[in-house]
Amino acid sequence: MQQTRTFSDKIFLVIKGVLMGAANKVPGVSGGMVAFVAGFYEEFIFSLRRVNINSLKLLINGRFRSLWYYTNGRFLSLLVLGMVISYFSISLLLDYLITHYELYVWSSFFGMILGSIYYISKDFEEWNRRNIGFMLLGIIAGVSISFLEPAAQNDNLWFVFFCGIVGVSGMTLPGLSGSFILILLGNYVLLLVDSVNALYLTLSDLFRFDLGFLDDPERLRLLQVLLVFTAGSVAGLVSLSHILGYLLKHFKNATFAVIIGFITGSLGVVWPWKEAEFRRNAEGVFLLDQNGNKIVGNYDRYLPAIDEPSTWIAIFFIITGTVLVLWLALAELKNKRSHA
């Protein structure tokens, strides 16, 4: 399965990993959608499927070279490298932009999804009644998810493990945002903010040879939560990739139709014109995370005022996002043709 890649191919793959990492960070956007539009979705899924009992045997027997080739290690390592780079760069920039220019960030992602829908739909040639039905099911599921009410936070470890399985879906299933699903499950702040911050603080303490955190039950609980969440994510990534791999092998057109529907339905999640609804307790007081920030519960969507300058700026960013995705897709297509 290991492919021969030129230097430019490797650079492109790292950039795709950066884009996947950035997409997974934003509630409503799916890293799997990036893989789907960029044309490496099937290779991504089938590479993940190689994480199985055979790869475990190769690891135990110390056959690392065989393991590298069996799991398509070069491909996965370059993608992961891009995601790590994204996590410590693009993701931080996105946090700043969402805080200060939220409307325009959502508008850009809305445009990117529009461009993605056009690009992947124009080459899908199996538009019969059956596949249109599957696409409509995907649209209904995507739209329905965007209007669900979020649950209360729950740090039960079995539920946290389940959150890991479901939350990783954004990497494997285009159009289904893992971050947004975690918001609906009520554990976005717990799993992607509080527990990650606890890990950073712990690593910082260890770097200074400070073991005082061992006497902090709250820190230890958050680290336990993060460990269980990570285990659930690994289990979800492996199991979902096997399920999707089977579907792509035996029901490829129907699966693609559902994915196109999912991505279309996700437009409801990233609709730019919305206001955050923050969580409150029984007395009506805002709930805060460990950093003192209000916790987002859901969003109240509305139609924009056509006479406001910000509306036209947002429309400009929608068009820019659409053009950007189409340009990247065409650049990738030209790169493939030049190698062919």
Side-chain angles (χ1 to χ4, degrees), residues 34-101:
V34 174
F36 197 79
V37 175
F40 64 94
Y41 181 70
E42 290 187 68
E43 183 177 2
F44 178 58
I45 294 299
F46 284 110
S47 296
L48 291 177
R49 287 188 70 193
R50 291 298 183 94
V51 181
N52 53 30
I53 189 66
N54 292 327
S55 59
L56 181 61
K57 290 177 181 178
L58 291 173
L59 177 64
I60 293 173
N61 293 328
R63 299 174 58 188
F64 302 117
R65 186 178 180 85
S66 298
L67 176 66
W68 177 260
Y69 280 93
Y70 180 75
T71 58
N72 201 14
R74 183 183 294 119
F75 169 81
L76 290 177
S77 62
L78 290 171
L79 266 187
V80 171
L81 174 62
M83 292 180 194
V84 172
I85 292 173
S86 174
Y87 192 82
F88 291 102
S89 57
I90 302 298
S91 294
L92 297 177
L93 176 62
L94 272 176
D95 287 339
Y96 173 82
L97 292 175
I98 289 177
T99 300
H100 295 88
Y101 305 99

Side-chain angles (χ1 to χ4, degrees), residues 90-150:
I90 302 298
S91 294
L92 297 177
L93 176 62
L94 272 176
D95 287 339
Y96 173 82
L97 292 175
I98 289 177
T99 300
H100 295 88
Y101 305 99
E102 185 176 16
L103 173 61
Y104 306 136
V105 172
W106 287 120
S107 298
S108 300
F109 279 113
F110 190 84
M112 289 177 179
I113 294 177
L114 282 178
S116 302
I117 293 168
Y118 168 75
Y119 181 75
I120 61 181
S121 299
K122 70 181 182 65
D123 293 327
F124 188 75
E125 300 176 351
E126 301 294 328
W127 285 121
N128 52 40
R129 185 180 299 178
R130 176 172 172 268
N131 288 335
I132 290 175
F134 280 119
M135 183 193 69
L136 291 175
L137 287 175
I139 292 175
I140 292 170
V143 172
S144 299
I145 288 172
S146 68
F147 287 99
L148 289 175
E149 289 294 323

Side-chain angles (χ1 to χ4, degrees), residues 7 20 39 43 66 88 111 119-120 195 204 251 274 296 314 325 331:
F7 181 75
M20 279 190 76
E43 183 177 2
S66 298
F88 291 102
Y119 181 75
I120 61 181
S195 61
S204 177
F251 310 99
K274 57 192 174 186
V296 176
V325 165

Side-chain angles (χ1 to χ4, degrees), residues 28 98 137 151 155 157 266 277 298 310:
I98 289 177
L137 287 175
D155 67 351
L157 295 182
S266 70
E277 296 178 341
N298 212 325
S310 61

Side-chain angles (χ1 to χ4, degrees), residues 153-167:
Q153 182 171 297
N154 184 348
D155 67 351
N156 178 279
L157 295 182
W158 284 110
F159 185 72
V160 167
F161 186 82
F162 171 74
C163 286
I165 294 175
V166 178

